[in-house]
Amino acid sequence: AQSVTQPDIHITVSEGASLELRCNYSYGATPYLFWYVQSPGQGLQLLLKYFSGDTLVQGIKGFEAEFKRSQSSFNLRKPSVHWSDAAEYFCAVVRLNTGFQKLVFGTGTRLLVSP
Amino acid sequence: EPEVTQTPSHQVTQMGQEVILRCVPISNHLYFYWYRQILGQKVEFLVSFYNNEISEKSEIFDDQFSVERPDGSNFTLKIRSTKLEDSAMYFCASRIDREQFFGPGTRLTVL
């Protein structure tokens, strides 16, 4: 089935350490790609997006993501994590040529930041 | 900066009751969506709406659900007879181009 996979349910990172959250998709053609962050009880905030072009995209809060077509991946990275980054992170895709472009979300990765 | 708004932020209802969740999309947007997130789970697509009609719906969106854009500004999701399993966070989103803008969500609790 076509899907979005976030293989890590939980990740714990020390404050100041680097972070990489994994996302893979299984659609045949390259979709639009997004990363959202959700703090407890809050809504979805867009971190960054990829439509085409440069495969390394910069987002808000110091996050970046790299699209790798050969691996069908769009991993999220941050060089130095802050305690305020503790949240749930969702990768999402939009399949192209579907007309109305619904978002398909991964199951999320919960990031815990240790002192 | 324009934003999507949703009311109420939290709705508590009894099983079997009707609820209407309201959204005000960004004013020049043309495509509208509802998603839901059951506690601790991923965000799931419910329905998309364009040109005053449903353009796509998921298998979750059964006959108990309906959407409406009654006055050109509001976009509503109605659940006719709520079930316990309808308890979730419901997000509205709108877009004009490739990016969807989300509202803050309505937490629906069915008792």
Side-chain angles (χ1 to χ4, degrees):
Chain A
Q2 296 169 329
S3 67
V4 181
T5 302
Q6 293 181 249
D8 303 305
I9 298 173
H10 296 100
I11 281 186
T12 300
V13 174
S14 298
E15 190 168 16
S18 64
L19 169 71
E20 183 168 22
L21 302 183
R22 294 182 289 166
C23 174
N24 292 91
Y25 63 90
S26 62
Y27 300 105
T30 300
Y32 295 154
L33 298 156
F34 305 82
W35 274 99
Y36 287 87
V37 61
Q38 184 181 36
S39 297
Q42 301 299 308
L44 297 163
Q45 182 179 25
L46 180 67
L47 286 175
L48 43 76
K49 57 195 181 241
Y50 173 79
F51 297 136
S52 64
D54 192 347
T55 56
L56 184 64
V57 294
Q58 303 297 320
I60 63 171
K61 304 185 178 186
F63 285 92
E64 66 177 28
E66 185 172 13
F67 167 58
K68 293 185 177 179
R69 185 188 308 274
S70 62
Q71 298 176 20
S72 297
S73 69
F74 188 56
N75 293 349
L76 181 71
R77 301 194 295 244
K78 187 170 184 177
S80 177
V81 168
H82 188 262
W83 65 266
S84 60
D85 293 324
E88 185 102 23
Y89 291 80
F90 291 96
C91 179
V93 308
V94 166
R95 289 176 55 204
L96 300 188
N97 303 319
T98 58
F100 300 102
Q101 300 190 359
K102 68 181 181 188
L103 277 161
V104 177
F105 286 82
T107 50
T109 297
R110 181 166 296 280
L111 174 64
L112 305 172
V113 180
S114 61
Chain B
E1 184 176 330
E3 58 183 18
V4 178
T5 60
Q6 290 186 243
T7 55
S9 57
H10 192 186
Q11 173 93 45
V12 180
T13 189
Q14 296 290 326
M15 191 170 55
Q17 295 296 303
E18 174 184 287
V19 295
I20 298 176
L21 310 183
R22 302 181 192 281
C23 168
V24 179
I26 295 173
S27 62
N28 63 334
H29 285 192
L30 301 175
Y31 302 86
F32 312 104
Y33 305 82
W34 284 100
Y35 296 83
R36 81 169 186 192
Q37 184 185 31
I38 294 171
L39 186 64
Q41 298 186 23
K42 68 177 179 180
V43 180
E44 302 172 287
F45 166 77
L46 288 178
V47 66
S48 59
F49 192 85
Y50 170 72
N51 200 26
N52 282 320
E53 60 183 24
I54 290 173
S55 49
E56 185 177 359
K57 58 184 181 180
S58 73
E59 57 189 27
I60 302 168
F61 194 88
D62 61 21
D63 292 344
Q64 292 300 313
F65 291 87
S66 62
V67 290
E68 198 175 40
R69 190 158 158 80
D71 56 12
S73 62
N74 290 285
F75 179 49
T76 61
L77 174 69
K78 181 194 291 187
I79 309 175
R80 287 191 188 81
S81 178
T82 50
K83 307 182 185 71
L84 295 176
E85 54 265 37
D86 294 328
S87 293
M89 184 77 104
Y90 289 81
F91 293 106
C92 171
S94 70
R95 72 175 177 94
I96 187 167
D97 197 353
R98 295 174 292 187
E99 179 182 341
Q100 291 182 33
F101 293 80
F102 280 83
T106 293
R107 179 164 298 285
L108 176 65
T109 302
V110 182
L111 303 176

